[in-house]
Amino acid sequence: DAGVTQSPTHLIKTRGQQVTLRCSPKSGHDTVSWYQQALGQGPQFIFQYYEEEERQRGNFPDRFSGHQFPNYSSELNVNALLLGDSALYLCASSLDTDTQYFGPGTRLTVL
Amino acid sequence: AQSVTQPDIHITVSEGASLELRCNYSYGATPYLFWYVQSPGQGLQLLLKYFSGDTLVQGIKGFEAEFKRSQSSFNLRKPSVHWSDAAEYFCAVASISGSARQLTFGSGTQLTVLP
């Protein structure tokens, strides 16, 4: 049984560019949440997708947007990248509001 | 608003010694509490969770945690630490907003295990 998968593993971008990160949930899960983990900090909630809609959003600007597809996979898009967006981006999947299971993350570096 | 405090940024123990990692939370309702572990450059692995019932919960890898409502704490324990336990440990509380449940994490405790 495959767990949560994320792609790519690493990504390097320059300021002002746009980036798309991808997540495939654990089999049987229908909900995807995204978190940002800056170096030396705990993860911070960005938003959650359920039934292809954004159900809840954390304290992140509109530059951060997402999408969920009918197969429950999800994308995180970040526009107009800033140096401060450099972080590990974690995807977590769950069955509705049940326990969240995390993927390995995507390391984004903004130069 | 909910919050989680992990007072110890870094803990060092010898292999075979016992371990306790502290976690204090602030949440208005009955909390759902979690401990996750993160190895360098990796995602988060769930160690254990508390939803209700018995306040002492058992997890994977020999870890356990005790929920104490009166102290707003959910400390993680292991009787004998192995070198492979070296990692960063995060405590989290789940809050409900509308129909969504989101996790609020502490800032983590880095565990070093000496041979």
Side-chain angles (χ1 to χ4, degrees):
Chain A
D1 178 24
V4 181
T5 60
Q6 293 187 242
S7 63
T9 306
H10 296 89
L11 206 51
I12 299 175
K13 293 285 187 178
T14 57
R15 281 176 296 176
Q17 285 190 310
Q18 178 263 343
V19 68
T20 296
L21 311 182
R22 296 175 176 82
C23 172
S24 291
K26 187 177 168 67
S27 178
H29 287 183
D30 58 6
T31 303
V32 172
S33 304
W34 286 92
Y35 293 81
Q36 181 196 65
Q37 185 180 19
L39 201 59
Q41 298 182 22
Q44 287 195 293
F45 176 75
I46 302 175
F47 42 54
Q48 184 178 92
Y49 277 83
Y50 174 73
E51 292 189 342
E52 301 181 50
E53 291 194 0
E54 183 182 288
R55 181 160 68 174
Q56 183 65 25
R57 188 178 185 89
N59 188 25
F60 279 80
D62 292 344
R63 298 187 297 109
F64 289 77
S65 63
H67 189 76
Q68 186 179 35
F69 298 93
N71 66 352
Y72 306 119
S73 67
S74 177
E75 288 182 349
L76 164 65
N77 301 290
V78 187
N79 294 322
L81 284 168
L82 304 174
L83 294 179
D85 294 332
S86 294
L88 181 68
Y89 288 84
L90 295 164
C91 167
S93 76
S94 59
L95 182 60
D96 199 359
T97 59
D98 204 344
T99 304
Q100 294 181 19
Y101 294 87
F102 285 81
T106 294
R107 172 72 62 186
L108 172 64
T109 302
V110 182
L111 302 176
Chain B
Q2 65 279 0
S3 66
V4 175
T5 301
Q6 293 181 246
D8 304 305
I9 297 173
H10 196 179
I11 283 184
T12 299
V13 299
S14 296
E15 191 169 17
S18 63
L19 172 70
E20 182 170 28
L21 302 182
R22 295 184 291 166
C23 172
N24 293 97
Y25 68 90
S26 173
Y27 186 57
T30 300
Y32 287 8
L33 296 161
F34 304 82
W35 276 99
Y36 288 88
V37 60
Q38 185 177 39
S39 297
Q42 302 297 312
L44 302 175
Q45 182 183 20
L46 178 68
L47 285 176
L48 48 78
K49 60 185 178 183
Y50 171 78
F51 282 4
S52 64
D54 192 350
T55 56
L56 184 63
V57 293
Q58 303 296 321
I60 62 171
K61 304 184 179 185
F63 285 93
E64 65 178 26
E66 186 171 13
F67 170 61
K68 293 185 177 180
R69 184 186 298 275
S70 61
Q71 299 177 19
S72 297
S73 69
F74 187 56
N75 294 348
L76 182 71
R77 301 193 295 248
K78 187 170 185 177
S80 178
V81 172
H82 188 262
W83 65 266
S84 61
D85 294 324
E88 186 145 28
Y89 292 79
F90 291 95
C91 180
V93 62
S95 58
I96 293 284
S97 178
S99 57
R101 179 173 293 158
Q102 68 181 71
L103 296 175
T104 299
F105 287 86
S107 53
T109 297
Q110 182 68 47
L111 174 65
T112 297
V113 181
L114 301 177

